[in-house]
Amino acid sequence: MPALPAQTDTALTALTLVGMAAALGGWIGGAALVETGGLIVVYLAGGVPATVRALGALWRERVLDIDLLMVIAAIAAAAVGAPMEGAVLLTLFSLSNTLENRAMGRARRAVEALMALRPDTALRRDGDSVHEVVAADLRPGDIVVLRPGARVPVDGEIVTGEGAIDEATITGESMPVRKGPGAAVHEATVNLNGVLDMRVARAIGQSTVARMIRLVTEAQAARAPSERFSAWFGQRYTVAVLGGAILAFGVFLWLGRSPDEAMYRAATLLVAASPCAIVISVPAAILSALSAAARGGVLFKGGGAIEALAAVRAFAFDKTGTLTTGQAEVTQMQAIALPEADFLARLAGIEAHSEHPIAEAVRREVVRRGVTPVPVANVTAFPSEGIVGEDGDAPIWAGNPRMARRMAADTDLPELSRLNEAAQTMVFLGQGRRILGAVAVADRPRASAQPGLTALRDGGVRHIAMMTGDRRPVADRIGRELGFSQDEIHADLLAADKVSLVAGMAGERGGVAFVGDGVNDAAALARADVGIAMGAAGSEVALQAADVALLSEDLTRLAEAHRLARRTAAIIRQNLVFAIGAMVILVLGAAFFELPMPVAVIGHEGGTLLVVLNGLRLLGDPIRGDRRRDKGTPRFKGDAAPAA
Ligand code: ADP
Ligand code: MG
C-alpha cells in the first residue's frame, strides 16, 4: 500500500499536522488568511499523496481502496462548505497510515537486524602471517583469528583457544556460552574474551541463520487468513460504501433536504461507514507480534503461523535433538574381532556424512581419543534407521536394529548383551551381514524441557506426546523423566508413523503442533497444523517444512511463543469487535440521527488509531526465556563435519 519511502511519508504527515494546527489556530483567532493557508497545506500534504495512491491502485490493480473513500469524503466536505471537517479527516487519516507503516517497518527490521551485525572484514591466517581480508572472500577451510571482542564473520569451528561467546544476536539469550576446540561458532555472534583460531565452515551468506532468515522473510510475504479476509472484505465493502453514500444522497434529496445538506449527510455516512479500523486491526497486531517474537529468537513464517499456533491445543515432540540435547555422548563401546581404534575410525568415517546428533557424538568421541576416521564414500542416509556407505566389497553401515535387519545382520550377539542392558540408544556398525561392534549413546533431556512442558500445560495445553525413532527402553526412560505417561510415549517410529500419529491427534484434539529437528521429522512438521523446527540446531529440511523456527534451544520459549500467539489472537478479536461495533454505531447515527460530521470523523479515525495502538501493545511483550537453562547453546547442523 505505501508507495512513498518511509521518511517522505513521515515528513508529509508532519506537514499535515502543522497545517492542521495553523488552520485551527487561525479559526480560533479569527485570522481567516492563516486558517485558509493551513487548510490548503492539509489538503495538499494529506490529500494529494492519498489521491495518487488511490488512483494508482485503481489504475494498476483495478482495486477501489479505502484511501479513495477518504479522499472523496474530504472533497465532498469541502464542497459543501465544511473544509475543516475534511481537513481533520485527512490529518487523522495520514497519521494512522504513518503509524501503520512504521509498525510494518519495525517488524521487518527486527528480522533484518539479525543479519546486519556481521563484520565486513576478518583476520585470516596465511601460513605464519595474519592478513585483514574482506569477509566475503573467506572460503571454507580458511583459518580466521578471533581477538577478544571480535564479531564472528562466518559460521565455523574453533580450532584452538577457548572463550566465552555471546550469542544473544541469534538466540536472544543474554548468557554467554563457553566454547573450546571442536565447538561451532556462528556468524554475527561475539567472542567476548578468548583468543581463538576458527576454521571457516561456510562462505558468507550461506550460514544456517542467513538461510533461515531468507526463508522467513520470503514466507512473511504470505498473508494470514484473517488478513486475507479483511483485504477481501475491504475491497467489497469499499464498493458498497461508495454505492450506499450515493444512494443516501438520493434518499436525502427525496426526503426534501437541500442538495448541500444531502451532500453533507452522504459524506458523513461515507466517513462513518469506511472500514479503515476493520482492515487495519489484523495487520497491526500480527506485525507487532512477529516483531516481538523475532526479538526473542522465535521466527514465524508469516501471520498465518501465529494464528494457527494460537489455535493449537496439543503438542507432539520428537525426542532426539528436540527434548534431549544435541550433545549426546558415547558412553560404552564394544568392538567385535577388531581393535577399538579401528572400529571407531570406521564408525566415524561413515558418521562424518550424517547430520544426526548421534553422528555428532561419535565425531566428538573420535576427537577426544585422537583417532583418524577412515574415509567412506557413496553414503546414503536412511532416516530413523541409520546410514550406509561403500567400503571395499560389502557395504559398511551404522544404525539401529531396523537397519541391521535391512542388512540381514544378526544383532543378538553375546558380546553386545552388556550394551543392550543399558537403556541407551545403541548404534551398530556392520559390514554386510557382519556386525563389527556397537556403541551406546546417552542423550540427556534438555534442562529447559521439563519447565517448557510444564509451562505449556499451565498455558492450557492438555495433550502432549513424545514421538521417537529410538527404541522403547530409551524412550520410556527419557519420557518418564520428563513426566510423560505411558500412553503419551511412542517409540520405534519411522517418519511415516510420526505423520499418522500427528494426523490422529489432529482428528481428536483440534489444532496440533509438532516440534522436531531431524530429517525424519519433516513430513510430520508439514502434516501438523503448526510445524516447529529447532531452528539453528535442526536440519535444513526440517526448517523448510516448518512454520516456526526456534533459534534458541530453550524450550520455555516455545510456551512463551504459544502465549504470545494466543494473546495476539485475543487482541485481533478485541480489535474486530471494537471496530465493527464502532462502525455500526456511527453508521446508524449518520443515517438516522443527524450525526455531525466532526463526530463521525473523530469516531472513525480515532477508532482506527485505537485499533493500531492496541495492536502495537504486542511490541512491548517480548518472548523471554528462562535465564538459567540451556544457556543458548545452539548446535548448528553441519558442526565439525570433516569432509571424509
Ligand atoms: P528421533 O525420532 O527421536 O529424533 P531418529 O528417528 O532421528 O530419533 O533416530 C532414530 C534412531 O535411528 C536412532 O536412535 C538411531 O538408532 C538410528 N539412527 C538414525 N540416524 C542415525 C545415524 N546417522 N547413525 C546411527 N544411527 C542412526
Ligand atoms: Mg530428532
Side-chain angles (χ1 to χ4, degrees):
M1 196 177 12
L4 292 170
Q7 279 133 348
T8 321
D9 182 66
T10 312
L12 282 172
T13 301
L15 195 59
T16 313
L17 284 170
V18 170
M20 192 67 231
L24 282 174
W27 177 62
I28 293 166
L33 217 59
V34 177
E35 186 188 335
T36 314
L39 287 175
I40 291 175
V41 170
V42 173
Y43 275 84
L44 288 181
V48 172
T51 313
V52 170
R53 261 200 315 264
L55 292 181
L58 188 61
W59 189 250
R60 269 179 277 113
E61 293 151 42
R62 312 243 161 257
V63 265
L64 270 179
D65 65 11
I66 321 180
D67 288 17
L68 194 65
L69 290 188
M70 292 300 104
V71 172
I72 292 176
I75 292 175
V80 298
M84 193 60 97
E85 281 90 333
V88 172
L89 182 66
L90 287 176
T91 307
L92 289 174
F93 181 64
S94 28
L95 188 62
S96 60
N97 249 344
T98 301
L99 273 182
E100 179 194 353
N101 292 346
R102 301 214 121 201
M104 287 202 195
R106 202 163 158 175
R108 199 160 3 91
R109 278 194 306 275
V111 174
E112 283 169 359
L114 291 172
M115 280 329 291
L117 297 158
R118 197 170 49 198
D120 297 329
T121 63
L123 297 172
R124 188 175 65 199
R125 197 181 281 290
D126 302 313
D128 287 338
S129 56
V130 173
H131 296 109
E132 179 160 359
V133 298
V134 179
D137 289 344
L138 292 172
R139 292 288 163 262
D142 286 355
I143 302 291
V144 170
V145 181
L146 292 177
R147 303 213 165 118
R151 262 187 203 284
V152 179
V154 288
D155 278 6
E157 178 199 338
I158 298 180
V159 188
T160 56
E162 194 171 296
I165 310 281
D166 177 351
E167 305 192 314
T169 41
I170 297 185
T171 61
E173 180 59 63
S174 56
M175 286 291 288
V177 189
R178 274 210 86 70
K179 293 198 170 183
V185 285
H186 314 300
E187 192 168 298
T189 58
V190 181
N191 165 32
L192 291 178
N193 56 12
V195 178
L196 310 173
D197 273 14
M198 64 170 274
R199 186 183 303 116
V200 176
R202 276 174 285 275
I204 208 158
Q206 295 303 308
S207 73
T208 317
V209 173
R211 277 183 315 212
M212 176 151 48
I213 287 169
R214 232 173 0 248
L215 222 58
V216 167
T217 30
E218 280 162 17
Q220 283 187 355
R223 289 202 257 179
S226 61
E227 259 180 295
R228 268 201 301 276
F229 168 76
S230 64
W232 175 89
F233 173 81
Q235 171 63 18
R236 299 295 132 87
Y237 190 79
T238 304
V239 178
V241 170
L242 209 52
I246 294 170
L247 190 72
F249 177 68
V251 171
F252 286 124
L253 276 183
W254 179 69
L255 288 175
R257 307 290 175 91
S258 72
D260 264 12
E261 201 196 334
M263 183 96 142
Y264 182 89
R265 299 245 67 85
T268 308
L269 193 64
L270 193 60
V271 174
S274 289
C276 293
I278 298 175
V279 169
I280 197 167
S281 44
V282 178
I286 293 266
L287 291 169
S288 303
L290 287 177
S291 154
R295 277 181 290 141
V298 179
L299 298 184
F300 285 91
K301 291 192 195 165
I306 295 193
E307 295 192 344
L309 184 59
V312 160
R313 290 292 168 267
F315 277 80
F317 285 87
D318 165 56
K319 177 181 76 70
T320 320
T322 303
L323 286 174
T324 66
T325 67
Q327 310 283 318
E329 252 175 58
V330 175
T331 54
Q332 297 182 57
M333 188 181 310
Q334 182 66 57
I336 299 175
L338 81 170
E340 266 193 2
D342 291 356
F343 163 77
L344 193 58
R346 304 180 84 172
L347 181 60
I350 189 159
E351 293 290 15
H353 299 277
S354 173
E355 86 304 334
H356 202 274
I358 289 180
E360 229 174 287
V362 169
R363 290 199 292 265
R364 266 196 303 275
E365 186 67 13
V366 163
V367 171
R368 205 175 66 78
R369 298 198 181 205
V371 172
T372 314
V374 178
V376 175
N378 292 337
V379 175
T380 316
F382 291 86
S384 302
E385 294 186 22
I387 186 165
V388 185
E390 271 175 22
D391 178 24
D393 336 322
I396 185 158
W397 54 268
N400 58 9
R402 206 190 280 269
M403 185 80 231
R405 272 199 297 283
R406 180 189 288 277
M407 305 309 284
D410 180 11
T411 56
D412 205 5
L413 304 171
E415 292 95 322
L416 298 178
S417 60
R418 185 175 49 93
L419 263 67
N420 215 348
E421 277 155 21
Q424 289 179 343
T425 309
M426 273 179 85
V427 176
F428 300 95
L429 175 70
Q431 181 143 41
R433 303 183 52 167
R434 193 161 86 86
I435 300 277
L436 301 176
V439 291
V441 178
D443 56 351
R444 277 166 293 122
R446 292 179 187 287
S448 64
Q450 177 82 67
L453 293 173
T454 308
L456 278 177
R457 292 195 204 268
D458 289 348
V461 176
R462 288 283 150 266
H463 304 283
I464 303 186
M466 182 174 97
M467 301 181 181
T468 179
D470 208 345
R471 61 201 188 108
R472 179 53 76 178
V474 193
D476 285 348
R477 176 175 60 83
I478 302 265
R480 271 198 301 274
E481 220 172 296
L482 289 173
F484 284 99
S485 65
Q486 199 59 42
D487 62 331
E488 292 171 333
I489 303 175
H490 306 276
D492 291 315
L493 303 177
L494 292 174
D497 304 327
K498 292 187 179 185
V499 174
S500 47
L501 278 172
V502 166
M505 276 175 94
E508 288 167 47
R509 329 262 198 214
V512 174
F514 184 87
V515 193
D517 70 317
V519 174
N520 64 330
D521 297 324
L525 286 167
R527 173 62 186 78
D529 298 298
V530 183
I532 302 169
M534 299 300 286
S539 59
E540 180 81 8
V541 264
L543 207 59
Q544 292 271 2
D547 307 297
V548 184
L550 299 179
L551 292 189
S552 154
E553 310 229 300
D554 176 357
L555 286 173
T556 58
R557 283 169 201 255
L558 182 61
E560 284 274 291
H562 188 226
R563 184 188 56 75
L564 179 70
R566 279 177 297 141
R567 183 150 182 249
T568 307
I571 285 188
I572 288 175
R573 272 195 303 277
Q574 281 167 15
N575 275 356
L576 284 175
V577 167
F578 172 79
I580 292 172
M583 197 184 72
V584 168
I585 293 171
L586 289 177
V587 167
L588 291 178
F592 304 112
F593 300 101
E594 313 238 321
L595 184 78
M597 189 188 266
V599 177
V601 165
I602 290 173
H604 172 257
E605 291 295 337
T608 308
L609 266 181
L610 278 182
V611 162
V612 171
L613 293 176
N614 194 29
L616 294 186
R617 281 198 301 146
L618 289 165
L619 278 177
D621 184 14
I623 286 179
R624 265 183 275 272
D626 184 329
R627 288 273 150 90
R628 289 156 299 152
R629 303 174 205 274
D630 282 331
K631 302 202 168 55
T633 35
R635 168 182 56 85
F636 278 61
K637 105 173 227 292
D639 277 5

